Amino acid sequence: MTNKKRGYIDITIDGKKKTLHFSMNFWAEFTEQMGVSLQDIGGVFESGISLNGLRALIYSAALANDLESGNDVDYNIYSAGTWLDDISAEEINEIVNAMMESKILGNSLEGSKKNKAKPKPSKKQ
C-alpha cells in the first residue's frame, strides 16, 4: 500500500508488514505524543529528529492506520521503540520523506516551510 503522496508507507517488523499512515489522525496523535501544537510542529524537526520523536512518529503513524482500518492494536509506544531495531537508516529516511510529503490541513509540511521562508505579499484594496 505504499503511496507516499497519500501518506501511506509499508514497513516490515518481525517479518510482518505494518502500514504507516500520515493522516490528520497521525498529526493529532503525533502532536499529542510530542507535547506540541500543530503550529509548532516545525520546531520538532528543525535540528533533526530525536529518538523520542522517531519513536512517536512510527507509533503515531501505525496507530493512525490501524484505528482508521479497524485493526486490533496490540502494541504501544514502547513496542514501537523496539521496532526501531528492525528499521534501517534507509527505511527511516523513506518514512520521514513520506511524512514530509503528506498533508497538514491541506498543505504539505515541505510547502509550509517554503511559505514561511517567503511570505506572500498582501493585497491592498
Side-chain angles (χ1 to χ4, degrees), residues 100-113:
M100 296 294 284
E101 292 175 8
S102 68
K103 302 285 185 184
I104 305 175
L105 300 176
N107 298 308
S108 72
L109 188 58
E110 288 179 337
S112 66
K113 285 184 180 179

Side-chain angles (χ1 to χ4, degrees), residues 13-86:
I13 303 295
D14 293 330
K16 297 178 186 174
K17 182 181 85 165
K18 174 118 342 243
T19 300
L20 308 180
H21 188 202
F22 297 104
S23 62
M24 290 306 295
N25 290 316
F26 158 77
W27 289 110
E29 182 64 31
F30 184 67
T31 54
E32 185 173 316
Q33 288 290 328
M34 297 302 295
V36 298
S37 69
L38 191 57
Q39 177 181 338
D40 296 328
I41 198 70
V44 172
F45 303 106
E46 279 181 353
S47 60
I49 192 161
S50 67
L51 281 176
N52 188 43
L54 184 58
R55 180 181 70 170
L57 186 149
I58 300 292
Y59 171 73
S60 299
L63 185 66
N65 182 73
D66 286 335
L67 292 177
E68 291 164 355
S69 301
N71 300 333
D72 289 333
V73 176
D74 59 352
Y75 54 88
N76 58 37
I77 187 98
Y78 295 99
S79 304
T82 64
W83 299 345
L84 293 174
D85 292 334
D86 291 339

